[in-house]
Amino acid sequence: MGAEPVLQLRDLVVRYPGAPAPTLAGLSLELGRGQRLALVGPSGCGKSTVARAVLQLLPPGSQCQGGLQLAGVDPRNLQGAALQRLRGTAVGLVFQDPMTRLNPLLTIGEHLRDTLQAHRPDQADPIRRQRATALLARVGIPPERYGSYPHEFSGGMRQRVAIALAMALNPSLVIADEPTTSLDVAVAAQVMAELSDLCRESGSALLLISHNLALAGQWCDQIAVLDQGRLVEQAPARQLLLTPRSPLAQRLVARARELEASCSPAPPPAAQLLAIDNLRCWHRLGGPPWQPRWLKAVDGVSLRLQAGETVGLVGASGCGKSTLCLALMGLAEVRGGTVRLQGQDLLTGRGAGRRLLRRRIQMVFQDPLACLNPQMRVGEAIADPLLIHGLASPAAARQRARELLEAVGLSPAEAFEGRRPRQLSGGQQQRVAIARALILEPRLLLCDESVSMLDAEVQAEILALLRQLQQKLGLGLLFVTHDLAVASGFCHRVIVLDGGRIVEEGPGAALLADPQAAITRQLVAACPRLPVGRHAQSN
Amino acid sequence: MVVDAPRPTKPATNLSARLARWGLVIVAAYAAVALVMPLLVHLGLLSDPTAGVDNPVNAAPSWGHWCGTDRLGRDVCSRTLAGSGVALQVVVLAVLIALLIGVPLGMVSGYLGGGLDRLLVLLMDTLYTLPVLLLSVVLAFLLGRGLPNAAAALCVVYIPQYFRVVRNQSVQIKAELYIEAARSLGAGPLWILRRYLLRNVITSVPVLLTLNAADAVLVLGGLGFLGLGLPETVPEWGGDLQLALTALPTGIWWTALYPGLALFVLVLGLAFLGEGLERWLSDG
């Protein structure tokens, strides 16, 4: 470890313009050369503000007081070109959503070359190009893809490009702000491995901002817990996860363990709710009419679900789990097979009977904000399904919406019904989406990655809510996720999909302990787990 | 140590707010004049804008006639004031009809897509290529003179503008997840158009509305100047300007100045309002 820390914060106070209280209230942190530190904490604790303050990307009018030293320099004293040089060479930044951070009109090679050109104007063009291809190769992107545009890449590939960009100038510090939240587990593990290896090779320090404790524990030496802009606890990763000292850290670790270790006992036998037989959803990709090429998104899936049961659908991206949901909702084309809901055929029905049957399946989407009309107030949004089906007068629908707001834990309902979706937190938005799905009194609820965008604590709350509603209403739940830990804890039964087919099926805990299929083994291996030590067991 | 980052762009927002306020004041003043004018004429405080038989012809501004009289002996002041009501009526009618036709058409076209969309886009783009004044001149000529006819001639010009903006926004919004979520709840196309699409596309319309209204005032003036649009008995700025044109070389300036000024200020007010609205909507 070098004598001089790469990043040193001393009593840093940051206040956004117009904010009543400072977002960072006296934060002190130190990060030495080559160290890997994770910043964790509940939403809104100021994690991302640290990154913005270090790079001086705070919105104009913000206050930033206290000691801030980046590689021995205070970035606040720099202006214009010097600040830009510092941003590129001393710090590399990897964002959560790589798509929005890449220019859609530049190829990824040009992205890299631009960065190199801006910071190494003296280098010759061929050398720059060579360095760019070397960087891409380093993050696992073949040189043929040099001329590809960002939209031609998958999420994981884009995040790799972002990592290559951040590492292009061998910065002494890399800040990764939730780098894998939008990726599935298997890809996330690969991306984190690349990032971690690159940091080690170039001797860069890594500041990982995450809400996932297990991820932080797996990839970082140190974990710092933040709350309301202050450092609550900092300790070596293993120590903090096994024996957290501060109440907040204890709560966070307990929640994460609860999520991982909870196990749902088999539900009491009940009537069969859903029976899918040999369902096929093929998309036509082209080819001559006598020899069409198909994308077999779902290829012969059969499953049974009884009332009050939760079945988890697990698989890597592109395994067909979302298509299956869409097919059940009637939003994707079905090529063959049967789906029976309470004994009635869901696919062949017509007219009023079909609409009546469809009402019994509802869906909760991944992104609660995107699935709510931004111009509709929450009360209206929840009442809308009743009006769509003409089941109630507007006043009665309003009243019912209020009851459901209370039922999903948003009480008093009067305080929430007048708000717009944007004015709610992520967890509250998802509660609204659940209330909206439940107002039609469905028998089966499809949850498509419904908790993957929420932080661990809120995830646990939403899952508890779903379980409670399930017990009260006898709902069948089809729970789609890429997170095996969540699936095994929450679901009674887990089904693993790969390439549109079921490859493995069984109780979640058994699957985790002894995975059979290759894809299951891969997912289990990729899934970051909290360390288990003697301390934890004696707890 | 306190680092004060550069202040946010306060002056710009202030300027747009000031513009919008001035625009609103101007338009409100015109509307007030339009409402009060008939009453004042009825009470005898202002002379009848169409009666001019017993007045002196081409009289310069005086205490009897504040803005003078034109070559038929009509009071320029009351004609100018009366013109505001006529212009506002035609323009509001025209822009509203354009809105009521263009917005639903754009939404349906954008949301449903397919052949209907292509046909409508082709039609609207064809309309769009024709010069505004030429199109309305032809239409006004075909439809004949009269207030509703002038409004109809104007509205055809503006339908493609609403159609285009709303259609493109509908295409963008129909890919949003909340539209899919609504479909998954069982909502039909009509319901989605009404409850989900409309509210999200309508935000861009007020700006277009005010800017179009400014444009429509000018086109209406142009039609009047060419002797089309409104009947000669209705006091109208464009027609008055046409009459004033022949008198201008003889030094009679008041018949041209006041109607021209009225036209100019109303257009300015509407344009200010539009610019201010645009800033305000894009900020908030």
Side-chain angles (χ1 to χ4, degrees):
Chain A
M1 189 171 128
E4 186 182 74
V6 176
L7 177 68
Q8 194 174 28
L9 308 179
R10 197 157 288 149
D11 290 326
L12 189 69
V13 177
V14 172
R15 186 201 292 267
Y16 285 114
T23 309
L24 291 184
L27 178 72
S28 301
L29 265 184
E30 214 175 272
L31 192 58
R33 194 156 291 281
Q35 270 190 341
R36 290 177 297 168
L37 174 73
L39 277 184
V40 299
S43 321
C45 69
K47 298 180 296 238
S48 298
T49 307
V50 175
R52 291 209 194 116
V54 169
L55 286 165
Q56 285 299 295
L57 289 173
L58 295 166
S62 310
Q63 267 181 17
C64 182
Q65 288 166 301
L68 170 56
Q69 293 275 319
L70 181 61
V73 185
D74 188 338
R76 286 170 299 183
N77 296 338
L78 299 177
Q79 294 289 327
L83 184 59
Q84 274 172 19
R85 203 154 46 235
L86 185 80
R87 278 181 189 158
T89 50
V91 196
L93 189 57
V94 181
F95 289 101
Q96 175 173 1
D97 183 3
M99 188 59 192
T100 53
R101 307 289 172 168
L102 297 173
N103 183 345
L105 295 179
L106 287 185
T107 66
I108 55 153
E110 282 165 343
H111 271 105
L112 278 167
R113 225 178 44 202
D114 270 8
T115 310
L116 292 171
Q117 197 164 7
H119 292 279
R120 305 250 194 284
D122 47 320
Q123 268 181 357
D125 221 35
I127 297 178
R128 262 189 240 139
R129 190 180 164 115
Q130 211 177 354
R131 168 97 176 112
T133 25
L135 272 167
L136 286 180
R138 186 60 201 80
V139 292
I141 295 173
E144 305 92 83
R145 303 298 302 267
Y146 185 85
S148 302
Y149 287 91
H151 71 265
E152 297 173 278
F153 284 89
S154 67
M157 293 285 254
R158 268 183 232 136
Q159 197 59 289
R160 287 183 186 164
V161 174
I163 290 173
L165 273 170
M167 301 298 296
L169 304 161
N170 285 328
S172 49
L173 171 66
V174 175
I175 299 178
D177 189 354
E178 304 271 9
T180 59
T181 308
S182 55
L183 307 175
D184 84 42
V185 185
V187 180
Q190 290 167 9
V191 167
M192 278 313 295
E194 304 273 1
L195 181 60
S196 174
D197 284 355
L198 269 170
C199 284
R200 192 173 310 128
E201 270 173 35
S202 60
S204 311
L206 174 67
L207 184 66
L208 176 71
I209 296 170
S210 175
H211 65 250
N212 189 335
L213 277 175
L215 185 84
Q218 192 174 358
W219 299 106
C220 294
D221 325 313
Q222 292 263 325
I223 296 182
V225 182
L226 250 61
D227 189 27
Q228 296 176 350
R230 281 191 191 83
L231 185 66
V232 175
E233 185 175 355
Q234 182 176 2
R238 204 179 148 74
Q239 186 190 329
L240 188 133
L241 293 178
L242 291 177
T243 54
R245 279 196 308 273
S246 61
L248 177 72
Q250 277 167 359
R251 201 176 80 218
L252 288 175
V253 172
R255 280 296 174 99
R257 286 205 187 279
E258 198 180 303
L259 211 59
E260 238 176 50
S262 70
C263 166
S264 308
Q272 182 170 303
L273 186 63
L274 177 75
I276 302 177
D277 275 305
N278 201 20
L279 184 73
R280 282 172 296 152
C281 300
W282 294 0
H283 305 301
R284 181 92 186 261
L285 286 181
W290 59 91
Q291 201 182 25
R293 287 185 298 122
W294 298 98
L295 171 71
K296 297 178 180 177
V298 175
D299 190 23
V301 167
S302 305
L303 71 86
R304 300 279 180 275
L305 180 74
Q306 65 178 48
E309 189 186 23
T310 309
V311 169
L313 272 179
V314 180
S317 320
C319 72
K321 43 193 197 314
S322 292
T323 311
L324 182 59
C325 278
L326 291 180
L328 288 177
M329 292 307 300
L331 295 176
E333 205 183 325
V334 174
R335 176 113 180 119
T338 57
V339 178
R340 291 180 161 278
L341 185 68
Q342 295 182 309
Q344 286 167 289
D345 198 317
L346 192 65
L347 299 177
T348 53
R350 282 277 166 273
R354 175 187 160 101
R355 272 206 300 281
L356 209 65
L357 202 56
R358 281 244 171 269
R359 261 193 351 233
R360 296 189 207 152
I361 304 188
Q362 292 301 328
M363 184 158 170
V364 180
F365 290 83
Q366 175 173 19
D367 184 346
L369 184 59
C371 79
L372 293 170
N373 185 347
Q375 298 290 332
M376 256 189 197
R377 293 178 192 285
V378 164
E380 270 180 283
I382 297 175
D384 204 44
L386 283 180
L387 301 177
I388 289 173
H389 291 277
L391 293 177
S393 67
R398 269 273 147 104
Q399 185 50 39
R400 186 88 186 93
R402 253 173 248 144
E403 288 167 28
L404 270 159
L405 272 172
E406 300 273 358
V408 296
L410 294 178
S411 92
E414 284 73 21
F416 286 98
E417 66 174 352
R419 297 207 205 163
R420 298 206 189 272
R422 230 173 330 159
Q423 296 166 317
L424 300 175
S425 72
Q428 289 171 334
Q429 286 162 3
Q430 198 56 284
R431 282 169 194 263
V432 170
I434 292 172
R436 189 169 190 234
L438 288 180
I439 201 164
L440 288 173
E441 293 168 0
R443 305 311 311 150
L444 175 66
L445 198 59
L446 307 179
C447 300
D448 188 1
E449 305 270 11
S450 299
V451 295
S452 65
M453 293 185 68
L454 309 171
D455 73 32
E457 221 174 339
V458 183
Q459 256 183 21
E461 281 168 22
I462 295 288
L463 290 177
L465 172 71
L466 281 173
R467 191 173 291 164
Q468 175 206 335
L469 289 168
Q470 177 179 41
Q471 277 160 5
K472 206 163 82 186
L473 307 171
L475 288 175
L477 277 178
L478 198 57
F479 193 84
V480 175
T481 179
H482 60 245
D483 191 342
L484 259 176
V486 170
S488 75
F490 179 67
C491 303
H492 299 117
R493 219 151 33 93
V494 173
I495 288 173
V496 183
L497 280 179
D498 187 28
R501 290 167 182 277
I502 294 180
V503 292
E504 202 169 353
E505 182 170 358
L511 264 184
L512 265 187
D514 183 23
Q516 297 297 317
I519 182 72
T520 325
R521 276 205 293 275
Q522 203 182 329
L523 286 172
V524 170
C527 188
R529 318 263 308 159
L530 292 168
V532 185
R534 258 171 286 137
H535 303 288
Q537 279 160 357
S538 66
N539 235 347
Chain B
M1 187 181 125
V2 182
V3 173
D4 274 309
R7 294 264 148 230
T9 48
K10 269 272 164 65
T13 49
N14 268 350
L15 181 68
S16 74
R18 273 218 302 276
L19 281 186
R21 211 173 306 140
W22 275 109
L24 200 65
V25 166
I26 292 171
V27 174
Y30 273 80
V33 165
L35 287 176
V36 173
M37 181 65 200
L39 195 69
L40 291 181
V41 171
H42 189 71
L43 290 177
L45 293 174
L46 275 171
S47 49
D48 186 350
T50 49
V53 194
D54 28 323
N55 289 335
V57 171
N58 279 341
S62 64
W63 282 112
H65 301 285
W66 295 344
C67 307
T69 61
D70 65 4
R71 71 170 184 201
L72 297 176
R74 296 173 301 193
D75 186 67
V76 173
C77 178
S78 60
R79 275 189 82 76
T80 305
L81 291 180
S84 130
V86 174
L88 284 180
Q89 272 178 50
V90 175
V91 165
V92 166
L93 197 63
V95 174
L96 273 186
I97 296 174
L99 185 84
L100 288 179
I101 297 176
V103 170
L105 219 54
M107 274 169 47
V108 168
S109 176
Y111 182 69
L112 296 182
L116 177 76
D117 181 41
R118 248 168 289 161
L119 189 74
L120 279 172
V121 168
L122 183 73
L123 186 74
M124 293 296 171
D125 280 356
T126 314
L127 274 181
Y128 215 62
T129 54
L130 299 173
V132 172
L133 196 58
L134 183 67
L135 189 62
S136 39
V137 162
V138 171
L139 280 167
F141 179 72
L142 290 176
L143 292 172
R145 290 179 148 197
L147 200 141
N149 298 4
L154 280 178
C155 86
V156 173
V157 175
Y158 297 109
I159 289 175
Q161 295 191 10
Y162 292 99
F163 173 83
R164 224 183 216 194
V165 168
V166 168
R167 184 233 164 222
N168 289 349
Q169 217 167 358
S170 300
V171 169
Q172 195 187 345
I173 285 175
K174 85 171 171 187
E176 295 278 347
L177 192 64
Y178 56 85
I179 299 287
E180 189 176 306
R183 278 176 60 208
S184 85
L185 286 170
L190 246 162
W191 188 273
I192 289 178
L193 284 176
R194 200 155 56 84
R195 300 265 298 173
Y196 289 82
L197 212 54
L198 179 63
R199 291 188 182 195
N200 286 293
V201 297
I202 208 74
T203 47
S204 59
V205 168
V207 177
L208 198 57
L209 194 86
T210 41
L211 293 179
N212 274 349
D215 194 45
V217 172
L218 278 180
V219 176
L220 180 70
L223 284 181
F225 192 82
L226 294 174
L228 295 161
L230 297 173
E232 271 161 21
T233 48
V234 178
E236 198 269 332
W237 298 326
D240 284 2
L241 284 173
Q242 160 67 28
L243 286 181
L245 195 63
T246 48
L248 207 53
T250 58
I252 299 167
W253 49 269
W254 52 91
T255 51
L257 177 71
Y258 296 106
L261 205 62
L263 189 77
F264 168 71
V265 174
L266 179 58
V267 171
L268 199 70
L270 285 167
F272 277 178
L273 194 64
E275 290 293 331
L277 265 180
E278 182 162 27
R279 270 296 174 84
W280 185 65
L281 285 175
S282 63
D283 281 356

